[in-house]
């Protein structure tokens, strides 16, 4: 029955702790799904669980790549994680995936066809990495949207019809897929979609495994306060020292004539990039003590802000992308929210309910309604469920432009909503009135002309 436990949630909610709890209780091993925690030697900046809190549980893909390595691509991560899951199971143990990097988690949880648009294995850009190398090879990818669109109309009219003429990013992406693979992106998506549709119809579902996903969550205010406090904590534990080490590494490389690309890999991790200007200033030595201290302070403040934003984006992913993917396969009941707002209630709110759920999964018993776990869970899921099941998208949407309103929208559904909506009808009514008015004046004008021509002599 291939069980898999996944733990997701914003940074700072206690995902790693829950994973260790569950692994200890159910003879499990942990697979790290956080791109930055894969880097070696930076336990504080990347927020790794300290060794003495791991309770002797094996942690895979943690602290395993060097500073100068690129962050793993999705395909790479997926392959390795799936291999590890097999391996852990073959030893009679329970695999537990703990992920902060959402697209890693998604690629492991769901079968390939769900990866879908814009995220196919080959073309998926790494975090922070743009497609500079491909535009060197195909300069048209740097052209204005209209020029790219013209080319796209030639090679892939279906995708060309899909995008708004000004949406350069998407036009570029479709064109890039064609240039790289020699096949129109629309063809590739069509195949993926029909595979997806087949899987849904066969009821075999789109999840790879018998999965339980725990979402460790907290009210936003509480979470933000906790994240702020964590930055102070990190400083105490030696954040500056680690960042200094990274800065020295870059400097050393530079002195050897090697330019380190700081727009990717570990260099974009929160904590380092905010402090980089500070260390640069220390090295240059042209700031006073007081100015340096100010710079240090503002850098730390930026770390706090960036951490909060990151937390917010992670929650957004769960609410939108993960929910959508689960909903498409009719599996939203696999997602359990655990309320970690009150840390002193960890045992009641997190440990006990999660253990009961894993127990049920392993014994193949039905699991309860996710809404029943807490008030926060009820609030979160009720609204989502009211929206109904998300239908799997099985066709490539087309862009429609309303000439009256000068608006472009994607997909027939959006188009129907638009043409039946009040704003559009108001514009139509106004246009109709104007047309009537114009016709009236034209008529008048005509009558006047005629009256001149046929004016009877008096
Ligand atoms: Zn309109």
């Amino acid at each position: 029955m291939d069980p898999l436990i996944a733990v997701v949630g914003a940074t700072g909610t206690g995902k790693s702790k829950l994973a260790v709890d569950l692994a200890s209780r159910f003879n499990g091993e942990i697979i790290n799904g956080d791109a930055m925690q894969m880097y070696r030697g930076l336990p504080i900046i990347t927020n790794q669980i300290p060794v003495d809190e791991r309770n002797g549980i094996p942690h895979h893909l943690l602290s395993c790549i060097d500073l100068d390595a690129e962050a793993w691509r999705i395909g790479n991560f997926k392959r390795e994680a799936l291999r590890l899951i097999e391996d852990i199971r073959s030893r009679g143990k329970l695999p537990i995936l703990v992920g902060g990097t959402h697209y890693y988690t998604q690629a492991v949880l769901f079968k390939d066809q769900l990866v879908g648009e814009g995220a196919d294995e080959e073309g998926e850009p790494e975090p922070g990495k743009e497609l500079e190398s491909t535009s060197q090879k195909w300069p048209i990818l740097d052209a204005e949207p209209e020029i790219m669109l013209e080319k796209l109309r030639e090679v892939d009219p279906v995708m060309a019809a899909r995008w708004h003429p000004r949406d350069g990013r998407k036009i570029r992406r479709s064109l890039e897929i064609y240039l790289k693979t020699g096949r129109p992106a629309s063809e590739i998506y069509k195949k993926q979609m029909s595979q997806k549709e087949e899987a849904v119809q066969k009821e075999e579902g789109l999840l790879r495994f018998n999965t339980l996903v725990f979402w460790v969550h907290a009210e936003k205010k509480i979470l933000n306060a906790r994240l702020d406090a964590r930055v102070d904590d990190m400083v105490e534990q030696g954040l500056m020292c680690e960042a200094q080490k990274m800065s020295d590494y870059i400097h050393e490389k530079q002195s050897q004539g090697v330019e380190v690309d700081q727009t990717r890999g570990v260099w974009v991790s929160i904590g380092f990039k905010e402090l980089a200007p500070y260390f640069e200033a220390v090295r240059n030595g042209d700031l006073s003590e007081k100015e340096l201290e100010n710079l240090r302070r503002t850098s730390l403040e930026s770390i706090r802000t960036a951490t909060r934003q990151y937390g917010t984006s992670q929650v957004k992913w769960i609410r939108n992308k993960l929910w959508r993917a689960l909903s498409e396969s009719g599996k939203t009941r696999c997602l359990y929210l655990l309320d970690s707002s009150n840390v002193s209630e960890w045992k009641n709110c997190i440990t006990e309910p999660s253990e009961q759920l894993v127990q049920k999964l392993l014994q193949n018993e039905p699991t309860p309604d996710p809404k029943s776990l807490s008030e926060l869970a009820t609030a979160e899921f009720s609204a989502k469920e009211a929206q109904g099941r998300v239908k799997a998208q099985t066709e490539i949407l087309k862009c429609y432009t309303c000439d009256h309103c000068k608006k472009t929208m994607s997909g027939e559904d959006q188009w129907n909503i638009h043409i039946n909506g009040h704003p559009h009808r108001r514009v139509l009514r106004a246009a109709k009135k104007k047309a009537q008015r114009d016709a009236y004046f034209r008529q008048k004008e005509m009558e006047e002309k005629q009256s001149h021509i046929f004016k009877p002599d008096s």
Side-chain angles (χ1 to χ4, degrees), residues 402-407 409 415 418-419 423-425 427:
C402 177
D403 294 328
H404 298 288
C405 308
K406 308 270 177 286
K407 252 182 149 175
M409 48 238 106
W415 173 244
H418 175 77
I419 56 173
H424 173 77
R425 292 211 301 243
V427 171

Side-chain angles (χ1 to χ4, degrees), residues 149-298:
L149 186 60
E150 205 177 305
K151 177 79 187 160
L152 188 62
R153 283 202 183 106
E154 256 171 58
V155 299
D156 189 352
V158 178
M159 290 315 280
R162 176 169 187 188
W163 304 132
H164 189 286
R166 279 194 302 273
D167 197 342
R169 201 179 58 81
K170 287 178 176 157
I171 295 167
R172 177 189 174 150
R173 177 85 189 112
S174 299
L175 191 54
E176 190 202 357
I177 291 175
Y178 171 78
L179 293 171
K180 270 188 167 173
T181 63
R183 289 168 60 208
S186 56
E187 228 173 66
I188 296 172
Y189 295 150
K190 220 169 170 177
K191 198 171 151 228
Q192 285 176 343
M193 286 171 186
S194 67
Q195 284 170 343
K196 184 157 133 184
E197 195 169 24
E198 219 170 86
V200 172
Q201 275 166 1
K202 273 198 253 158
E203 282 295 322
E204 65 184 23
L206 300 164
L207 283 170
R208 265 179 224 280
F209 306 114
N210 193 7
T211 311
L212 207 51
V213 184
F214 291 117
W215 171 12
V216 192
H217 194 38
E219 282 163 46
K220 193 171 175 142
K221 248 193 189 159
I222 295 173
L223 180 62
N224 281 345
R226 211 182 281 167
L227 289 178
D228 281 351
R230 209 191 67 199
V231 175
D232 300 333
D233 232 37
M234 283 163 74
V235 174
E236 236 164 77
Q237 287 165 14
L239 169 73
M240 300 304 281
C241 197
E242 269 184 17
Q244 169 94 63
K245 209 165 68 182
M246 292 170 79
S247 177
D248 288 348
Y249 177 91
I250 289 179
H251 191 67
E252 195 192 309
K253 287 275 164 184
Q254 273 168 350
S255 65
Q256 295 164 4
V258 182
E259 204 53 50
V260 176
D261 181 359
Q262 292 180 52
T263 63
R264 56 210 277 190
V266 77
W267 312 108
V268 298
S269 62
I270 298 173
F272 174 70
K273 66 175 185 297
E274 290 79 5
L275 278 166
Y278 167 75
F279 289 112
E280 208 40 53
V282 171
R283 187 166 290 118
N284 293 338
D286 45 12
L287 292 187
S288 70
E289 283 284 302
K290 201 171 159 222
E291 285 169 323
L292 269 183
E293 181 50 29
N294 281 341
L295 186 54
R296 194 186 80 104
R297 229 187 279 269
T298 48

Side-chain angles (χ1 to χ4, degrees), residues 365-403:
E365 286 172 23
T367 48
D369 184 343
K371 290 196 297 301
S372 68
L373 256 62
S374 66
E375 274 174 38
L376 195 60
T378 314
E380 193 66 49
F381 293 139
S382 298
K384 283 276 175 202
E385 283 183 4
Q387 291 165 5
R389 179 168 166 180
V390 180
K391 243 185 83 208
Q393 192 189 314
T394 50
E395 57 171 331
I396 292 173
L397 299 177
K398 193 175 169 254
C399 244
Y400 294 85
T401 301
C402 177
D403 294 328

Side-chain angles (χ1 to χ4, degrees), residues 94-158:
L94 177 68
I96 300 173
L97 174 69
V98 191
T101 304
H102 40 62
Y103 46 84
Y104 278 5
T105 315
Q106 193 121 347
V108 174
L109 294 186
F110 297 94
K111 290 176 191 164
D112 292 344
Q113 51 266 36
L114 244 175
V115 172
E117 174 207 324
D120 63 296
E121 207 174 294
E122 234 161 305
E124 176 65 23
E126 294 154 33
K129 190 206 159 195
E130 263 312 299
L131 307 158
E132 72 278 6
S133 53
T134 52
S135 67
Q136 271 165 14
K137 201 164 167 191
W138 295 289
I140 191 172
L141 295 176
D142 275 337
E144 292 298 310
E146 309 90 75
I147 294 170
M148 287 193 286
L149 186 60
E150 205 177 305
K151 177 79 187 160
L152 188 62
R153 283 202 183 106
E154 256 171 58
V155 299
D156 189 352
V158 178

